[in-house]
Amino acid sequence: MNISYNWLKDLIETDLTPQEIAENLTKIGLAVEGIHPFANDFVFDIDLTSNRGDCLSHWGVAREISAIADCGLRIADSNLERNSANPDLVTIQDADLCHRFTARIIKNVKIKPSPEWLVKRLEAIGQRAVNNVADITNYVMHELGNPMHAFDLNKLAEKRIVVRRARVGEKMQTLDEVERSFSEDMLLICDSEKPVAVGGVMGGLHSSISDETTDVLLEVAYFKRDSIRQTSRKLGLATEAAYRFERGVDIENLIRASNRATELIIELASGVAGDFVDIYPTKREEISVELRYEKIKALTGLDVSNEEAARILTKLGFKSAIRNPQPAIFTVPTWRHDISIEQDLVEEVARHVGYDKIGVELPPSVGAGEYQPNEVRKFHLRQALANLGFDEAISYSFIDTKNDDTFELIPDLVDEELEEKFVTLQDSIIEGAVRMRPSLLSGLLDAVRTNFNHQRKDVKLFELGKVFATASNEMDLPKEQELFGLVLTGGETFEGKSMTGRELDFFDTKGALEVAMDAINLPSLQYKPKEIKHLRKGQAAEILFNGRTVGSIGRINDEISATYKFRQPVYVAEIDLQTLLAEKENAVFYKPLSKFPAVTRDVSFLVKRTTSYTEIIQTVQDQGFDLCKNVSFVDVYEGKGMADDERSVTIRLEYRSDERTLIEAEVEEIHRQILAEIETKLGAKQRF
């Protein structure tokens, strides 16, 4: 944003030098990147944040300087008549997108080059001169901050304006001589027959000012910010007007801006002011914010008197009926779209007093250092996986739409009855990434691919993060769910070894999940073979908790592997962490270690391939023998000597009493009953 020093001097009563102005503006948050001489002037290059649309004009910057230097502003209100002899001059059909529209007829204008002083003012801030009327509209926009447009009145059908949404198939050639097509969500300014401008973005070529123009219709309006932003992006039109409208202009400054431009057209183009119409269908609601002066000290540490705080806010346009009430109620000026809460007022005072005066100290806080619900459990989960050699990944929450149907999502995340199941961004930060992620797996697999591209083939990653889906509710807010995902591939690495010890597999993934569950102190998960969309058949399972499906685990299928160009197996798991953390933790009991020895028995069974290890464990536990303290997996064998549909599974049974040493006979009796039940219930055959 370029601001002229001489132009500022016309608007404020101050003797500050250009260097002093630049230094003070930077201190209050309007960063001056440089001061450039231009003829007998100096131009400030100001880097504004997106919330300070009020400073996209010389008038807005001058207001800030008036608070800095405690000086007055110079601008006179016009005495032009506000006659409305032609109420049909303007019709607003879509008041939700056009909140206010003013139009002034100016007749008998003479189009010619602008005078030298006006040309130099525009050239100083990087604006090209065109003709006197067009230059005046640009001049007033840079002075007061309100974009405006001048139409050739005689080129408008029926010499009137209709403000409405675009119709299907409508097109128009804009001032840049490009024919553009419009969608039905775009706002157009039209005459009685056709579009003549894209509302708030750019005028049309057909109705533009030319050397033959004699009568002008001057438009100064206020359009909905979101509408202008979307239209500008869709059409690829980044204009000075759109830049200001999408950041917010002053809806109550339209008449002043119109009168200022009209007076200049009368002076420089010999025009005669005619009918004026002000259509204001969508009134702006007045915003009042309460300020407790002691909050300035509490939030910033700055010791500012009530009088000084009130002076700063008053100079910036905030109004209070009583000078020093406690608390004070300030009315927010119509040009400040970024002020809504008490902390905003504190910030206004603090930046003018000086951020550099804020001391270095810890603010008092009763709750400082307290853990939020489940924060400790998630810390233990992270620590447990880090101990297993995992690194934590943090992925983008927005992804490409091509991932919509790639992964099977956790149960109950998506409402299948909704037409639009996923959350879509209207303005993406990364090109193509317009979808809020419904799964963590896309980000984790992207991370694996990045590691592969850097020649790192042994990868173990996990992520805790939220996923999103469309939801039907009163607030029209998306559904958010916190998930836990992990991915591993390659080989197991050991400290001090350059070669991997062994290849990671499905059971390493399952083991990592079990460690995670132990870390958050929950009962064991159950696993059930199932066909999962993104997983390889025969190496996939659904994850159950208390009989409810909460996720999936397995090896990425060949189709996805080919898409990511993976040349080695990649194993993933994704689980509904939010549901798990809502469950009550296991009670922790402490008891002394047994003084008596245990008796262990390893036994191998010949079972069908469809029989799972979980079923064997469950069969043992269901018998409820107190002396059988533990059952664990030892080995599995498939191959020579086995039928194609059989395998040998070896388990270890541990028997122990906390009161005495067991004798062989009682162990053998319990052991015999357990084996018999396994053979009967599962059709297993004992091998040895």
Side-chain angles (χ1 to χ4, degrees):
M1 176 66 189
N2 291 328
I3 295 292
S4 161
Y5 174 71
N6 289 343
W7 204 336
L8 286 175
K9 293 277 285 184
D10 290 346
L11 301 175
I12 51 176
E13 303 166 354
T14 181
D15 294 325
L16 291 175
T17 66
Q19 289 73 23
E20 289 172 334
I21 287 178
E23 182 179 345
N24 281 286
L25 287 176
T26 300
K27 285 182 178 179
I28 63 171
L30 309 182
V32 177
E33 301 291 335
I35 307 175
H36 310 294
F38 182 87
N40 64 340
D41 196 2
F42 293 94
V43 178
F44 303 107
D45 180 7
I46 302 179
D47 182 18
L48 293 174
T49 53
S50 60
N51 67 308
R52 295 308 305 272
D54 62 296
C55 288
L56 290 171
S57 66
H58 287 73
W59 179 245
V61 175
R63 187 187 299 114
E64 294 286 331
I65 297 174
S66 74
I68 294 171
D70 197 17
C71 59
L73 292 168
R74 298 193 194 104
I75 194 160
D77 287 327
S78 171
N79 294 319
L80 286 174
E81 295 182 4
R82 300 182 183 180
N83 56 320
S84 55
N86 185 6
D88 296 327
L89 181 63
V90 176
T91 302
I92 299 178
Q93 294 183 0
D94 292 289
D96 59 324
L97 300 185
C98 179
H99 297 178
R100 190 177 186 183
F101 195 102
T102 69
R104 167 78 75 174
I105 302 298
I106 309 169
K107 296 189 174 182
N108 302 326
V109 299
K110 292 180 175 61
I111 305 301
K112 57 185 178 180
S114 298
E116 184 180 1
W117 70 266
L118 179 54
V119 172
K120 287 189 177 297
R121 278 281 169 93
L122 293 176
E123 288 179 347
I125 59 174
Q127 192 80 43
R128 179 178 62 89
V130 181
N131 58 55
N132 51 358
V133 172
D135 293 346
I136 287 168
T137 60
N138 286 327
Y139 179 85
V140 177
M141 178 182 69
H142 284 280
E143 182 175 75
L144 298 180
N146 290 88
M148 56 188 65
H149 186 70
F151 297 93
D152 187 326
L153 181 64
N154 297 316
K155 294 178 182 177
L156 301 177
E158 299 183 12
K159 295 185 178 182
R160 66 188 183 93
I161 289 294
V162 178
V163 186
R164 60 171 173 79
R165 281 180 167 86
R167 294 168 182 162
V168 177
E170 277 193 309
K171 297 180 180 180
M172 183 189 70
Q173 195 172 18
T174 48
L175 284 172
D176 57 359
E177 301 184 2
V178 176
E179 186 175 70
R180 302 182 186 277
S181 300
F182 307 112
S183 57
E184 295 176 76
D185 59 341
M186 297 180 182
L187 187 71
L188 299 181
I189 299 173
C190 311
D191 58 20
S192 62
E193 299 174 353
K194 61 189 178 302
V196 293
V198 184
V201 181
M202 183 178 282
L205 185 63
H206 169 75
S207 61
S208 63
I209 302 297
S210 65
D211 293 342
E212 290 74 34
T213 299
T214 57
D215 299 330
V216 170
L217 186 148
L218 179 67
E219 164 250 312
V220 189
Y222 183 95
F223 304 105
K224 186 177 179 181
R225 296 164 61 185
D226 293 344
S227 172
I228 299 300
R229 182 180 296 111
Q230 293 171 19
T231 300
S232 175
R233 300 295 188 276
K234 288 180 179 179
L235 295 178
L237 272 175
T239 64
E240 292 275 5
Y243 188 76
R244 286 164 173 77
F245 276 123
E246 65 187 35
R247 284 159 177 77
V249 299
D250 184 2
I251 195 171
E252 297 296 339
N253 199 47
L254 269 58
I255 293 177
R256 171 183 282 168
S258 179
N259 289 344
R260 173 69 167 147
T262 301
E263 289 176 336
L264 287 173
I265 292 174
I266 292 172
E267 177 185 347
L268 304 180
S270 305
V272 178
D275 293 342
F276 177 79
V277 174
D278 178 15
I279 310 297
Y280 198 167
T282 308
K283 298 289 185 181
R284 176 189 180 273
E285 294 183 5
E286 185 177 273
I287 300 174
S288 296
V289 180
E290 179 182 285
L291 174 63
R292 294 162 291 175
Y293 287 111
E294 64 270 16
K295 273 293 183 180
I296 299 173
K297 174 75 172 178
L299 294 176
T300 67
L302 293 173
D303 195 3
V304 185
S305 67
N306 296 358
E307 292 75 15
E308 176 62 8
R311 182 198 71 80
I312 291 172
L313 293 173
T314 302
K315 282 292 185 180
L316 294 176
F318 298 87
K319 295 180 180 179
S320 179
I322 306 174
R323 184 67 178 173
N324 282 315
Q326 281 289 359
I329 305 295
F330 285 93
T331 301
V332 179
T334 52
W335 57 83
R336 290 304 297 270
H337 300 269
D338 59 328
I339 305 295
S340 59
I341 59 176
E342 183 179 38
Q343 288 81 353
D344 295 331
L345 296 181
V346 172
E347 181 182 3
E348 293 299 298
V349 174
R351 67 187 181 87
H352 274 273
V353 172
Y355 289 137
D356 57 318
K357 295 186 174 76
I358 296 177
V360 179
E361 60 180 280
L362 290 173
S365 178
V366 176
E370 292 182 358
Y371 284 111
Q372 298 299 311
N374 291 321
E375 191 174 344
V376 173
R377 299 174 73 184
K378 287 189 280 189
F379 170 79
H380 290 155
L381 186 152
R382 288 184 170 98
Q383 192 64 50
L385 288 171
N387 292 339
L388 289 179
F390 281 80
D391 293 304
E392 183 171 5
I394 301 177
S395 308
Y396 287 119
S397 295
F398 32 87
I399 60 174
D400 199 292
T401 54
K402 66 183 180 182
N403 293 303
D404 284 353
D405 298 318
T406 302
F407 305 103
E408 189 162 317
L409 307 180
I410 63 167
D412 302 325
L413 175 66
V414 172
D415 187 346
E416 296 295 342
E417 295 182 359
L418 295 176
E419 183 177 350
E420 182 59 48
K421 300 179 180 63
F422 304 110
V423 180
T424 303
L425 299 174
Q426 295 180 348
D427 188 10
S428 62
I429 299 174
I430 299 176
E431 185 177 357
V434 297
R435 187 78 77 222
M436 295 299 291
R437 65 183 181 188
S439 170
L440 301 179
L441 297 182
S442 57
L444 287 170
L445 293 182
D446 285 342
V448 170
R449 178 168 55 189
T450 299
N451 277 273
F452 283 177
N453 291 341
H454 287 78
Q455 304 305 311
R456 184 180 177 186
K457 303 302 182 183
D458 305 320
V459 181
K460 295 166 75 174
L461 299 172
F462 75 92
E463 181 172 9
L464 281 68
K466 288 188 176 181
V467 297
F468 309 86
T470 306
S472 54
N473 51 55
E474 294 180 359
M475 300 297 291
D476 198 28
L477 295 174
K479 182 177 183 180
E480 298 183 26
Q481 195 84 352
E482 188 172 22
L483 305 190
F484 164 58
L486 56 84
V487 59
L488 48 82
T489 182
E492 185 69 83
T493 56
F494 300 99
E495 185 177 358
K497 302 287 186 180
S498 59
M499 301 294 290
T500 57
R502 60 177 180 79
E503 291 299 312
L504 298 172
D505 57 23
F506 177 94
F507 298 104
D508 291 290
T509 314
K510 179 172 174 286
L513 272 183
E514 291 170 347
V515 169
M517 292 305 100
D518 287 342
I520 59 177
N521 203 20
L522 285 179
S524 299
L525 300 171
Q526 297 85 46
Y527 303 87
K528 184 178 179 181
K530 185 182 178 183
E531 290 189 21
I532 308 291
K533 181 191 299 184
H534 59 277
L535 301 177
R536 195 173 190 180
K537 186 176 180 180
Q539 296 188 53
E542 63 176 340
I543 303 171
L544 299 97
F545 181 78
N546 291 337
R548 174 184 174 184
T549 302
V550 293
S552 61
I553 182 174
R555 176 178 170 178
I556 289 295
N557 64 33
D558 295 339
E559 182 181 353
I560 298 177
S561 293
T563 301
Y564 282 90
K565 298 182 180 179
F566 294 157
R567 298 181 179 178
Q568 62 189 50
V570 176
Y571 299 91
V572 298
E574 187 172 42
I575 197 167
D576 184 353
L577 183 63
Q578 187 167 312
T579 297
L580 296 181
L581 291 177
E583 293 292 329
K584 187 178 180 180
E585 294 184 65
N586 285 337
V588 178
F589 297 100
Y590 296 90
K591 59 182 181 180
L593 295 174
S594 176
K595 300 178 182 178
F596 304 99
V599 177
T600 60
R601 295 283 189 271
D602 288 357
V603 57
S604 295
F605 293 100
L606 188 65
V607 298
K608 296 293 184 182
R609 285 179 177 267
T610 54
T611 302
S612 67
Y613 168 66
T614 303
E615 290 177 296
I616 300 175
I617 295 278
Q618 194 64 47
T619 302
V620 175
Q621 294 174 343
D622 288 347
Q623 295 182 64
F625 289 108
D626 292 336
L627 295 182
C628 184
K629 298 296 185 182
N630 188 38
V631 55
S632 58
F633 174 80
V634 176
D635 193 17
V636 63
Y637 172 75
E638 300 171 352
K640 188 176 180 180
M642 299 285 172
D644 292 340
D645 63 343
E646 292 180 331
R647 63 168 58 138
S648 174
V649 177
T650 303
I651 62 172
R652 176 167 296 161
L653 298 163
E654 181 180 334
Y655 303 95
R656 187 182 63 251
S657 171
D658 296 329
E659 300 172 351
R660 56 189 173 81
T661 300
L662 296 176
I663 61 175
E664 188 72 17
E666 59 184 332
V667 171
E668 285 299 329
E669 177 57 26
I670 296 172
H671 187 64
R672 183 190 62 77
Q673 293 182 44
I674 290 175
L675 299 187
E677 181 66 16
I678 293 175
E679 291 177 351
T680 302
K681 188 173 182 179
L682 301 179
K685 297 179 181 179
Q686 183 179 349
R687 295 182 66 208
F688 52 82

